[in-house]
Amino acid sequence: MNHVPPRQLEVFVRAAAAGSLRQAAEQLHLTQPAASMALAELERRLGAPLFDRVRGRLHLSPRGRALLPLAQDLLERQAAFVRAATDTGGVLSGELRIGASNTVGNYRVEELLGDFVRAHPQVTVRLRVGNTDGIARALAAHALDVACVEGAVLHPELEAVHWRDDALQVVAPAAHPLAVRRRLTAADFADVDWVVREAGSATRALTERLLERLPPPRRQLELAQTEAIKQAVVAGLGIALLPEVAVREALADGRLRALPVPFLQPLLQRRLTLLLARGRYRGGALAAFLRATIGQFPTPSPEIPECSPAPTRLPPSTPSSPRRSPRKTGARKTTSS
């Protein structure tokens, strides 16, 4: 095997990201038979399957997982070569796949993308929003180019760069008994109803750490969206720990009250971090995005970065186990958190 056509690599990379040959063909403006033929020829050249076919979906085989980052790097370097050779006057083009956790993707998207999108209108930005666990796994699986999440993530294939700090508030409905108190202690939270995020969310992990310092809740309602939790608290279904940026308007107009909990203050601050795939080639679009968001272009590091206490630990091949929780009552943008 002396040569692999770029088109075959493109079909491989797109199919790995989409999990579907049909979607890969659509994105590359190919017929599905043409895409299927390209992938079959690549697998024939390699002498091994790149995917396992399970119920109509494509799942990377061990060989495919090993070769995917190399295929992506080859395509990115080829695109960089074409840009340099055609002398586009410094105008960037192409595609950048960005992942964001719920707080960032829904409440800080202008801060994250604004400067970059305005400076590079020819770059197609695809934003995927999910919980921290899912976004970090997608980046490690090469389905994303960069991600921005809440808190720290410890994963051997990822490195983190501090972006900015994020404040949180314990909030209650305006008519809640705790909302009229000027001072609160841990004992005041006995038999209180809480509304929390789903397992895998950085906000959920922080809520569990907070609840360890308080009496057990009476009930716990789990919802998968920050906005849904905010509305549930406004409706009187419980209290919650939420990002300040998400409840700012509701606090201002009186629908919610921030509870005075100085004894919990160390848990009400966290870091927002950019996640990067360790050792992976960083093309022009990613370099420009990093400069726009953090003012620098960090070079890949082979060392595991130091993380803040209680990071989200993500083994590369096994799902993380949710921590013990009390009983329960029950751009293109996609949301799953």
Side-chain angles (χ1 to χ4, degrees):
M1 182 181 64
N2 297 321
H3 173 69
V4 174
R7 178 60 77 189
Q8 294 178 7
L9 294 179
E10 288 175 339
V11 171
F12 169 41
V13 169
R14 295 278 185 164
S20 163
L21 197 57
R22 179 184 59 80
Q23 292 184 37
E26 290 176 355
Q27 293 172 11
L28 293 170
H29 305 290
L30 297 173
T31 64
Q32 186 165 342
S36 180
M37 185 179 300
L39 181 59
E41 177 60 18
L42 178 59
E43 291 181 320
R44 187 193 66 77
R45 288 171 178 268
L46 297 174
L50 296 170
F51 295 97
D52 296 321
R53 280 72 172 175
V54 181
R55 296 179 181 178
R57 298 289 295 175
L58 297 178
H59 300 272
L60 285 168
S61 67
R63 185 74 177 276
R65 282 193 296 272
L67 293 177
L68 178 60
L70 297 176
Q72 290 174 317
D73 285 356
L74 284 171
L75 292 174
E76 289 167 0
R77 290 176 187 272
Q78 181 194 40
F81 172 82
V82 171
R83 285 193 299 269
T86 54
D87 188 20
T88 59
V91 177
L92 280 176
S93 60
E95 178 181 287
L96 189 63
R97 303 166 301 164
I98 303 173
S101 56
N102 187 272
T103 296
V104 178
N106 288 310
Y107 302 103
R108 294 185 180 272
V109 68
E110 198 283 332
E111 299 171 52
L112 181 69
L113 302 180
D115 289 345
F116 175 76
V117 169
R118 285 187 288 268
H120 305 287
Q122 300 303 314
V123 176
T124 299
V125 173
R126 302 189 186 278
L127 179 64
R128 171 176 172 179
V129 179
N131 65 35
T132 293
D133 189 330
I135 291 297
R137 291 182 185 282
L139 179 62
H142 305 279
L144 297 170
D145 301 308
V146 63
C148 187
V149 300
E150 308 137 30
V153 172
L154 186 61
H155 190 292
E157 298 174 18
L158 304 179
E159 56 183 299
V161 181
H162 176 244
W163 180 42
R164 60 188 59 196
D165 296 324
D166 188 43
L168 297 100
Q169 299 271 9
V170 179
V171 295
H176 196 280
L178 297 183
V180 298
R181 304 273 191 92
R182 292 188 177 182
R183 298 183 61 183
L184 293 172
T185 66
D188 294 320
F189 288 84
D191 294 323
V192 170
D193 297 336
W194 281 81
V195 189
V196 301
R197 285 283 306 279
E198 81 286 5
S201 159
T203 302
R204 168 63 175 270
L206 195 56
T207 300
E208 290 181 352
R209 292 176 60 197
L210 182 146
L211 288 175
E212 289 172 357
R213 302 189 180 191
L214 300 175
R218 180 174 60 179
R219 285 191 298 267
Q220 183 170 302
L221 174 65
E222 180 181 297
L223 300 176
Q225 291 285 342
T226 297
E227 192 63 24
I229 292 175
K230 181 175 73 175
Q231 297 302 328
V233 176
V234 170
L237 300 183
I239 67 175
L241 177 68
L242 289 173
E244 189 275 336
V245 68
V247 297
R248 192 174 291 157
E249 292 184 5
L251 291 173
D253 63 26
R255 288 178 294 153
L256 293 178
R257 295 282 180 86
L259 301 184
V261 286
F263 62 96
L264 296 173
Q265 188 57 41
L267 296 177
L268 303 183
Q269 300 291 327
R270 64 183 176 184
R271 292 159 65 92
L272 303 180
T273 57
L274 290 179
L275 297 180
L276 298 162
R278 190 179 299 279
R280 183 176 166 187
Y281 173 70
R282 295 170 186 173
L286 179 54
F289 174 76
L290 293 173
R291 292 190 180 100
T293 51
I294 59 175
Q296 60 176 309
F297 178 46
T299 55
S301 170
E303 299 178 359
I304 297 178
E306 293 184 0
C307 295
S308 58
T312 301
R313 295 179 178 270
L314 299 173
S317 59
T318 58
S320 59
S321 300
R323 300 178 61 177
R324 181 187 61 81
S325 59
R327 61 188 180 279
K328 306 173 186 176
T329 60
R332 184 188 302 177
K333 181 175 175 182
T334 58
T335 59
S336 61
S337 69

